[in-house]
């Protein structure tokens, strides 16, 4: 086993890795799925951008359709960057605003009712809100969600979420990913294309996806790649620099929220390396020396990784027959 280092996840032959993914994508879609092209939901994020770029190499831009799926809480940046990406790769785009569908499901109403039970002066018409984990992952404290409301005057109110309200908020907002999945499959079936899933390794293995939502796809070409490796592919494939420079965001709640705040609890560059160390049985003191942390802190992070993977196993399970 090679010594642990900050370069351990660097892809030596990026061209070979991309070619392998592209060739497998071609084979899986044409032979296993018997489909003739790809539908990709694009959001201006790094993962969906790389998946669209890989699909373009696999099938040609004429057999890739990129679907933009905004709703009332979406950032304008998401659409603008998605369009820039599609133009760069000469891919046809379709915009499907899912706000009315979500309103019909009661997504916003159910979410806001739960928030208001915790923060009683919450006004969804003017206030912005999000949920987030504030605990330090290196302290071996299970992540507990808080709800944060930002008033128009800048006042910030944050309270720990009781289980009932947390579950209702998550169940409500999950309508967003599940509605997007339904629309992707509409276009995929209309065109006889495959739906390309965009989750990376951490999203799959830590459970940062919605079952039958963004976890619903026909093939996941980057599901085995760490986030830092996804960025390496993005630079090689020519993804626009604005997308590469963008901070990864959930783009789910009305208040701005990074993926680190919402779920991962640490920057992806650190998380990737420590996860690699955990997954490959590197000793905590060896990883700690490289990462500037104590062996105990690394041990606590290892425990957090194991806890997240175990508690989210339900999301990865196939139906029980």
């Amino acid at each position: 086993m090679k010594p642990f280092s900050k370069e351990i996840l660097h892809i030596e032959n990026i061209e070979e890795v991309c070619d392998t993914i592209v060739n497998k994508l071609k084979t899986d879609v044409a032979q296993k799925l018997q489909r003739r092209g790809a539908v990709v939901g694009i959001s201006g994020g790094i993962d969906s951008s790389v998946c669209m770029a890989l699909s373009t190499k696999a099938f040609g831009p004429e057999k890739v359709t990129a679907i933009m799926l905004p709703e009332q809480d979406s950032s304008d940046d998401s659409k603008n960057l998605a369009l820039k990406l599609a133009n760069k790769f000469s891919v046809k785009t379709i915009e499907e605003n899912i706000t009315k569908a979500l309103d019909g499901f009661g997504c916003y109403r159910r979410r806001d009712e739960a928030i208001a039970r915790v923060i009683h002066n919450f006004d969804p018409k003017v206030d912005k809100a999000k949920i987030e984990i504030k605990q330090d992952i290196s302290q071996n404290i299970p992540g507990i969600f808080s709800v944060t409301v930002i008033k128009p005057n800048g006042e910030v109110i944050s309270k720990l979420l009781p289980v009932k309200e947390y579950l209702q908020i998550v169940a409500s907002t999950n309508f967003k990913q599940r509605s997007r999945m339904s629309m992707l499959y509409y276009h995929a079936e209309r065109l006889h294309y495959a739906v390309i899933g965009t989750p990376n390794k951490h999203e799959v293995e830590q459970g940062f996806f919605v079952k039958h939502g963004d976890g619903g796809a026909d093939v996941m070409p980057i599901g085995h790649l760490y986030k830092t490796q996804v960025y390496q592919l993005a630079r090689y494939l020519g993804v626009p620099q604005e997308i590469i420079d963008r901070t990864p965001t959930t783009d789910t709640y009305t208040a701005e929220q990074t993926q680190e705040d919402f779920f991962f609890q640490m920057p992806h560059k650190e998380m990737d390396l420590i996860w690699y160390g955990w997954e490959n049985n590197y000793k905590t003191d060896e990883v700690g020396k490289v990462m500037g942390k104590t062996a105990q802190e690394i041990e606590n992070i290892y425990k957090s990784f194991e806890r997240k993977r175990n508690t989210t196993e339900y999301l990865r399970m196939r139906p029980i027959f």
Side-chain angles (χ1 to χ4, degrees):
M1 188 163 64
K2 55 186 176 181
F4 188 84
S5 73
K6 289 189 176 181
E7 289 73 44
I8 204 161
L9 291 176
H10 179 72
I11 299 173
E12 295 290 339
N13 192 332
I14 192 76
E15 182 178 4
E16 182 180 337
V17 169
C18 281
D19 287 346
T20 298
I21 295 172
V22 166
N23 289 333
K24 190 172 190 309
L25 198 52
K26 285 180 183 177
T27 301
D28 288 344
V29 170
Q31 297 181 13
K32 292 184 179 179
L33 302 175
Q34 297 184 7
R35 295 296 185 267
R36 62 188 185 189
V39 162
V40 188
I42 58 171
S43 62
I46 194 72
D47 297 320
S48 61
S49 298
V50 167
C51 287
M52 199 206 76
L54 290 167
S55 298
T56 303
K57 284 179 71 72
F59 311 110
E62 70 282 356
K63 289 187 178 179
V64 177
T65 297
I67 313 294
M68 298 180 296
L69 297 152
E71 43 92 19
Q72 69 178 34
D73 297 334
S74 299
S75 164
D76 290 338
D77 288 343
S78 296
K79 178 180 176 179
N80 295 335
L81 290 173
L83 285 172
K84 187 161 192 173
L85 173 76
N87 290 336
K88 172 74 180 289
F89 289 93
S90 302
V91 169
K92 176 185 176 183
T93 61
I94 296 173
E95 181 175 345
E96 297 277 9
N97 192 302
I98 60 171
T99 299
K100 290 183 179 179
L102 295 174
D103 201 32
F105 278 126
C107 166
Y108 308 114
R109 172 180 57 80
R110 298 173 202 269
R111 175 200 64 194
D112 294 342
E113 285 173 354
I115 294 173
R117 291 202 298 269
V118 180
I119 298 180
H120 302 303
N121 63 346
F122 171 61
D123 182 353
K125 292 181 181 178
V126 296
D127 297 341
K128 295 185 180 298
K130 61 182 176 180
I131 66 174
E132 56 188 338
I133 299 175
K134 296 186 176 184
Q135 291 79 22
D136 185 340
I137 193 172
S138 67
Q139 299 303 311
N140 196 26
I141 302 172
I144 301 172
F145 278 90
S146 297
V147 59
T148 298
V149 168
I150 304 170
K151 294 288 185 179
N153 64 2
E155 180 188 5
V156 178
I157 306 169
S158 189
K159 293 185 178 181
L160 289 176
L161 267 174
V163 173
K164 179 182 177 182
E165 281 69 31
Y166 164 73
L167 291 174
Q168 183 170 331
I169 291 169
V170 171
S172 303
T173 55
N174 283 353
F175 277 123
K176 297 186 179 187
Q177 286 82 4
R178 292 190 175 116
S179 297
R180 291 184 173 115
M181 183 273 293
S182 296
M183 190 59 74
L184 291 176
Y185 269 97
Y186 163 74
H187 286 290
E189 291 173 356
R190 177 179 66 83
L191 296 165
H192 202 62
Y193 283 3
V195 173
I196 308 301
T198 64
N200 61 53
K201 180 181 178 72
H202 281 296
E203 291 171 338
V204 172
E205 298 200 19
Q206 293 194 48
F208 186 51
F209 65 91
V210 175
K211 192 169 189 174
H212 307 308
D214 49 338
D218 294 319
V219 59
M220 292 187 177
I222 63 169
H224 62 300
L225 296 178
Y226 290 88
K227 191 84 169 183
T228 48
Q229 294 174 329
V230 175
Y231 277 100
Q232 290 175 58
L233 262 66
R235 287 186 282 270
Y236 171 76
L237 292 165
V239 168
Q241 191 62 40
E242 294 94 324
I243 293 175
I244 294 173
D245 292 339
R246 188 187 192 193
T247 301
T249 174
T250 63
D251 201 22
T252 298
Y253 294 88
T254 53
E256 289 187 10
Q257 178 192 59
T258 67
Q259 292 181 354
E260 180 183 341
D261 293 336
F262 177 68
F263 188 82
F264 291 122
Q265 299 175 261
M266 62 190 310
H268 74 266
K269 291 180 181 179
E270 288 184 26
M271 180 173 64
D272 284 2
L273 290 166
I274 299 174
W275 183 282
Y276 183 90
W278 172 65
E279 194 172 48
N280 291 278
N281 300 312
Y282 280 86
K283 292 182 178 180
T284 56
D285 57 345
E286 182 180 359
V287 174
K289 286 177 183 177
V290 173
M291 301 305 298
K293 296 181 182 295
T294 66
Q296 186 59 59
E297 286 175 322
I298 297 299
E299 177 65 26
N300 291 341
I301 295 170
Y302 279 8
K303 289 178 181 177
S304 176
F305 289 159
E306 185 173 9
R307 187 163 52 238
K308 280 184 176 177
R309 189 153 71 176
N310 289 341
T311 57
T312 61
E313 184 58 32
Y314 160 77
L315 300 176
R316 291 177 292 275
M317 289 175 62
R318 294 182 179 182
I320 299 172
F321 291 96

